[in-house]
Amino acid sequence: MARDYYEILGVSRDADKEEIKHAYRRLARKYHPDVNKEPGAEERFKEINRAYEILSEPETRARYDRFGEAGVSGGAGVGYQDVDMGGFADIFESIFSGFAGGMGAQAQRRRSGPVRGDDLRLDLKLDFREAVFGGEKEIRISHLETCEVCSGSGAKPGTRPRTCSTCSGSGQVRRVTRTPFGSFTQVSTCPTCNGTGTVIEDKCDACDGKGANQVTKKLKITIPAGVDNGTRLRISQEGDAGQRGGPPGDLYVYLFVNEDQEFQRDGINIISEIKISYLQAILGSRIEVNTVDGPVELTIPPGTQPNTVIKLENHGVPRLGNPVSRGDHMITVLIDIPTKITPEERELLEKLAKIRGDRTGKGGIEGFLGNIFHPR
């Protein structure tokens, strides 16, 4: 038994023409074979088209409402028939122009008018300090530039391209076929002009009719302070040249930062480590440490414990877009406990242990140092 066409489209029997059209578009997008590869999607799509074909025409809808499927099945046996564009085909094309390449009048005008050039991508590696402080960088790119001889037309000077007679300048040829399950639009690139909409009879010798030439050039770009892995810079109008007088595309430079042997980065903060002796940790000291700004004197407070983090303010990474504001340099203090000591050192340490009342026993100096850094 045939399903009810109103039920297929999910509309009530008193739905108006716009409701039916809206329901059809929604379902057709969902079940079109180019989009939905699930089993049964194609049959469902044919069913949806059949329902819309019947309910979108007032006469056939009236016969269906009165007699059911029997009232509209008389034409079900007709074969395939080529028809002019319009009606059902216009709706079909407006839905699936993104998938089938269909074009309305506005899209046809765009094809024959100026076309913006393609954007290009370049990956650029930076050293750690280059990313922190930025600066100028020279890069080499290869892109399409408009031919200076023909000014991008592709035609020999003194001549001009003519509109393609096969597609009338649209760049596409279309054929609409009506079947028992609905109308289908077949769209293909025009074989005469290869989709350009124009035909060049006398090609420019400088670009062989392409209107553009591949050119390698050097560019100086400015790297802002504070960039990081994945930062993207846009260099306006340094992509490929446009067609038919269209503007060039843009160049996008993606930045990748090389690792540094001494420093790591955490957002706008810089992280590093220093190693000091156990005596410097106990007594405190002033030592010189490296930062991205150069050597800086760091104060180690007396009694500093292992893995203490000391902060050097404003020695981190400039904030991207606001280089006056900087992060901090976070320094983790590692303490070097010797595995071997001289007899003189042992004698002094044992005296100190005796003063503190620490037992040295079998653990020797290790036990003493353990008590210093991990007191009971």
Side-chain angles (χ1 to χ4, degrees):
M1 181 180 295
R3 286 183 62 191
D4 182 88
Y5 290 145
Y6 290 100
E7 181 185 338
I8 290 171
L9 294 183
V11 296
S12 63
R13 300 189 73 85
D14 59 353
D16 60 25
K17 189 173 182 179
E18 285 302 313
E19 288 180 272
I20 292 172
K21 182 187 294 187
H22 178 75
Y24 166 72
R25 289 184 173 183
R26 177 176 53 82
L27 293 171
R29 287 192 187 98
K30 181 177 180 180
Y31 290 100
H32 189 274
D34 288 344
V35 180
N36 194 326
K37 303 298 182 182
E38 295 179 3
E42 185 173 357
E43 291 302 317
R44 179 83 168 105
F45 179 71
K46 292 177 180 179
E47 194 177 45
I48 292 165
N49 275 295
R50 174 63 174 165
Y52 181 74
E53 186 177 22
I54 297 303
L55 299 184
S56 63
E57 295 293 334
E59 292 183 9
T60 54
R61 180 180 179 180
R63 290 201 304 271
Y64 176 73
D65 288 343
R66 187 173 181 182
F67 302 108
E69 178 67 25
V72 293
S73 61
V78 297
Y80 291 81
Q81 179 184 9
D82 291 338
V83 296
D84 292 334
M85 296 298 295
F88 181 90
D90 287 341
I91 298 172
F92 184 90
E93 181 180 342
S94 70
I95 296 173
F96 299 109
S97 60
F99 301 110
M103 299 175 62
Q106 183 178 358
Q108 292 179 23
R109 287 194 296 270
R110 284 200 301 268
R111 176 172 289 276
S112 60
V115 177
R116 183 180 181 273
D118 291 334
D119 293 331
L120 298 180
R121 169 175 174 155
L122 175 73
D123 291 346
L124 181 63
K125 286 189 175 182
L126 300 175
D127 289 335
F128 190 87
R129 285 172 174 78
E130 286 180 321
V132 171
F133 296 112
E136 274 198 346
K137 195 82 172 175
E138 186 174 85
I139 59 174
R140 182 186 295 268
I141 63 168
S142 178
H143 66 178
L144 290 174
E145 290 191 358
T146 301
C147 177
E148 296 180 356
V149 176
C150 65
S151 299
S153 70
K156 187 175 291 187
T159 67
R160 55 186 300 178
R162 64 172 176 81
T163 301
C164 177
S165 58
T166 303
C167 63
S168 300
S170 70
Q172 293 181 328
V173 289
R174 294 177 292 170
R175 175 174 174 168
V176 179
T177 303
R178 175 166 288 176
T179 75
F181 305 104
S183 296
F184 294 85
T185 304
Q186 293 177 310
V187 183
S188 59
T189 301
C190 176
T192 304
C193 65
N194 292 321
T196 63
T198 59
V199 176
I200 300 173
E201 295 175 335
D202 295 319
K203 295 182 179 180
C204 171
D205 295 330
C207 63
D208 195 29
K210 298 175 183 176
N213 293 308
Q214 197 76 25
V215 175
T216 300
K217 64 185 292 187
K218 292 180 180 179
L219 287 176
K220 280 189 176 181
I221 62 174
T222 300
I223 307 296
V227 297
D228 202 352
N229 273 317
T231 300
R232 188 184 73 170
L233 306 179
R234 183 174 71 91
I235 315 300
S236 179
Q237 298 191 340
E238 289 295 347
D240 282 341
Q243 299 177 18
R244 295 184 291 278
D250 297 329
L251 171 67
Y252 288 92
V253 180
Y254 285 76
L255 303 178
F256 298 90
V257 183
N258 293 324
E259 291 185 1
D260 190 87
Q261 292 183 346
E262 187 173 6
F263 304 123
Q264 291 181 317
R265 182 168 168 177
D266 180 18
I268 61 171
N269 293 328
I270 291 176
I271 300 171
S272 69
E273 297 176 343
I274 58 166
K275 185 175 285 189
I276 61 175
S277 72
Y278 65 94
L279 295 176
Q280 288 175 310
I282 295 170
L283 302 174
S285 62
R286 296 179 68 85
I287 60 174
E288 191 177 82
V289 295
N290 291 327
T291 71
V292 292
D293 299 303
V296 172
E297 194 173 68
L298 180 69
T299 299
I300 305 294
T304 294
Q305 299 297 304
N307 298 316
T308 296
V309 177
I310 300 177
K311 179 170 68 175
L312 288 175
E313 294 186 353
N314 297 318
H315 282 282
V317 180
R319 193 179 299 277
L320 188 61
N322 183 18
V324 176
S325 173
R326 293 184 64 175
D328 302 320
H329 188 155
M330 315 298 289
I331 300 177
T332 300
V333 180
L334 306 179
I335 298 176
D336 183 19
I337 299 177
T339 57
K340 292 182 180 181
I341 55 176
T342 66
E344 184 181 2
E345 288 175 325
R346 175 175 289 276
E347 183 182 350
L348 292 173
L349 289 171
E350 285 177 348
K351 286 182 179 179
L352 180 59
K354 189 174 182 180
I355 293 173
R356 287 174 53 88
D358 295 328
R359 290 187 301 174
T360 55
K362 185 178 179 181
I365 187 62
E366 292 180 2
F368 165 68
L369 294 176
N371 287 332
I372 291 178
F373 295 115
H374 303 284
R376 293 186 297 271

